[in-house]
Amino acid sequence: MTKAGATPTGGRVVVLGGGIAGLASAIALAGHGRTVTLIERDPPPPGGGQDPFLAWKRRGVPQFRLPHGFSARARSLLAAHAPDVLERLRADGIEEINVFKQLISPELWQPADDEFTVVWARRSAFELALRRSAEAQPGIRFLCPAVASGLNFAPAGDGPPRVTGVRLADGRELAADLVLDCGGRRSPVPRWLAAEKAYVHTDLQDCQTVYFSRYYRFTPRCELPKTSVAVLRGDLESMMYIGFPGDHDTFAICMEVRPDDRDMRLLRHTWAFEAVARSIPDVASWVDPANATPLADVQLMGGHHNVRRRYVADGRPVVLGLLAAGDALCTTNPAYGWGASMALTYAFAAARAAVEHASDPVAMALAYDAATAAEADAVYRESAAMDRARIYRDTGQEVPEHDRAEMERQRVIAEGLAAGVFFDLELGRAFCRRVNLAGPADEVLDNPDFVAGARKARERLTTAPRPAPGPTRRELNAILHAARPRSTA
Ligand SMILES: Cc1cc2nc3c(=O)[nH]c(=O)nc-3n(C[C@H](O)[C@H](O)[C@H](O)COP(=O)(O)OP(=O)(O)OC[C@H]3O[C@@H](n4cnc5c(N)ncnc54)[C@H](O)[C@@H]3O)c2cc1C
């Protein structure tokens, strides 16, 4: 152990970032009697019963108003580690739904099927419940709004640098025995560490996707089967659409296109988004003004990457007195809906390592890595592989030799497992386990029984005719052209 490693840790904890990982780790640490200072650059949530979706200024979280679906793991983790957050969600009228159980008859239910229960909430409602729970903890002090601008380190010794505090943009300095980096996918911490010659190895793969989405609220006279929005999903020639259920009678329609598709970038305009939504038979009735009223303009976001950062190299921590959780540790393509659940996974694991190894920063870093590395590797690998499968398909690229086995493996989920859901209960369960992260992300595709079943399902499906779910690419261009207001033509 290094000299720096012998310094006691764990008394003063600073959490950098008050998003999902930051709030959850602060709640868990305070629950173990720790005093935590949480630094967040954005202002606190609005009071007075205002809808946080519209009124909470969250520039630090650009995806705040984009659709979020929370996989069942998020709910299970809250039930185990922060049950009061779940209580707050319930008190706020947020529904817990198990679509799998709804789709099959009750005599087929198994106890483990409860693992697939999810909360249907917008990101704003989910985060607000976490935030209010954190605010209710006497051990958490909020510095908000406040911007962290750097880290302080102990004088260099033989081993890895040891973080001793956080500097704020307003000139203040906070001493810390432990800093949790919960600064999200754009966390500045790796850059600050690199300036200290502590290099965080980073794997990165572009998701090559842009999101366009819009939230709506059902009208009182809407007679659509509202829960079906959760299974609304389809692939057009150059676009994918997905429905997201929300809280308080809200839902979102999301369209994903390639970033180099200039024509489809018109979807950022309300007129284009609505025209395309109306042209897709599955989607049209959901955006019909008789059934739904938009809550805000179209929201768009690009620049998505799968990112895996490693804070332990060759069995040694890269830095001491600092753990990274949430997107700062690993970011996956938002389309798979794993980010929030994994942020909670890392946050609770970080809190545990901090409590169990409070006086030994080396043991703390290694225990945290041991608890999270395999799962983080798995979500990164699976997310990146699913993205490559889509990219090869959409760009017409031939799959390179080195990626063929993995692409065949992914085809099982894309074509076999998803299809098998409709006629094989066990494949349905496997599919739900994967999307809900009921186990590690690679568990299902590494199970030969499921793979064999999914392959059979795929063979069965190839003979069945597949109706086109919407306009061709050429038709979409014509729809966009016809919808364009004259002043912008
Ligand atoms: C378009 C989109 C859609 C998504 N959809 C889903 C979904 O459907 N399901 C799902 O599970 N996940 C989804 N995600 C992923 C999910 O949003 C993230 O995984 C999750 O927010 C990660 O939580 P976090 O706490 O690590 O980071 P964040 O929630 O991003 O929080 C980081 C916080 O750190 C603060 N911060 C950063 N730097 C500083 C600083 N220097 N000083 C002070 N504060 C700072 C920021 O203001 C922010 O509050 C989506 C992501 C995107 C981009």
Side-chain angles (χ1 to χ4, degrees), residues 113-377:
D113 296 341
D114 290 338
E115 284 185 333
F116 308 143
T117 304
V118 296
V119 291
W120 276 0
R122 285 169 293 175
R123 157 81 191 225
S124 49
F126 189 87
E127 192 178 321
L128 184 66
L130 276 167
R131 174 75 184 220
R132 294 298 185 220
S133 283
E135 287 170 348
Q137 294 265 7
I140 303 175
R141 177 173 73 121
F142 279 89
L143 292 185
C144 164
V147 177
S149 58
L151 295 171
N152 287 331
F153 295 88
D158 300 340
R162 167 74 194 264
V163 174
T164 58
V166 178
R167 295 197 299 276
L168 300 184
D170 62 11
R172 281 180 288 173
E173 298 197 5
L174 300 174
D177 300 303
L178 171 64
V179 174
L180 290 187
D181 173 17
C182 300
R185 54 195 208 114
R186 296 178 305 183
S187 169
V189 166
R191 195 165 27 91
W192 297 341
L193 293 177
E196 289 297 309
K197 300 197 168 28
Y199 299 107
V200 179
H201 177 83
T202 303
D203 293 321
L204 185 136
Q205 187 189 294
D206 193 337
C207 302
Q208 296 195 24
T209 184
V210 183
Y211 271 45
F212 298 87
S213 72
R214 200 168 195 204
Y215 263 103
Y216 303 81
R217 195 184 301 280
F218 291 113
T219 59
R221 64 198 158 120
C222 171
E223 289 182 357
L224 294 171
K226 293 178 187 170
T227 52
S228 324
V229 76
V231 289
L232 185 63
R233 167 181 291 264
D235 256 321
L236 303 184
E237 263 174 45
S238 52
M239 191 190 96
M240 186 179 163
Y241 60 86
I242 315 178
F244 283 83
D247 53 287
H248 298 99
D249 252 359
T250 61
F251 69 94
I253 299 294
C254 183
M255 301 183 194
E256 287 179 51
V257 304
R258 284 191 48 77
D260 54 5
D261 191 336
R262 292 178 65 86
D263 294 333
M264 295 305 281
R265 286 192 154 240
L266 288 173
L267 288 170
R268 69 186 181 279
H269 300 292
T270 303
W271 54 263
F273 189 91
E274 292 292 323
V276 169
R278 283 194 304 270
S279 75
I280 304 169
D282 279 352
V283 179
S285 55
W286 298 95
V287 299
D288 184 330
N291 294 323
T293 310
L295 291 185
D297 287 340
V298 175
Q299 308 284 311
L300 87 126
M301 191 166 168
H304 305 289
H305 289 88
N306 296 292
V307 182
R308 171 77 169 99
R309 296 196 177 97
R310 286 167 208 284
Y311 283 81
V312 170
D314 300 326
R316 293 203 187 131
V318 170
V319 58
L320 297 178
L322 182 135
L323 304 177
D327 280 2
L329 182 69
C330 179
T331 312
T332 50
N333 185 335
Y336 311 127
W338 290 343
S341 300
M342 292 310 297
L344 294 176
T345 303
Y346 306 134
F348 294 132
R352 184 172 176 172
V355 169
E356 288 183 352
H357 302 280
S359 56
D360 184 344
V362 174
M364 184 193 294
L366 295 180
Y368 177 56
D369 187 63
T372 53
E375 277 229 83
D377 286 346

Side-chain angles (χ1 to χ4, degrees), residues 16-22 39-42 58 60-61 63 66-69 123 146-148 182-184 188 211 244 301 304 325-328 334 337-341 343:
L16 191 169
I20 292 173
I39 306 167
E40 170 52 50
R41 72 185 323 148
D42 286 344
R58 287 298 268 129
V61 181
Q63 71 268 35
L66 281 115
H68 277 62
R123 157 81 191 225
V147 177
C182 300
Y211 271 45
F244 283 83
M301 191 166 168
H304 305 289
D327 280 2
W338 290 343
S341 300

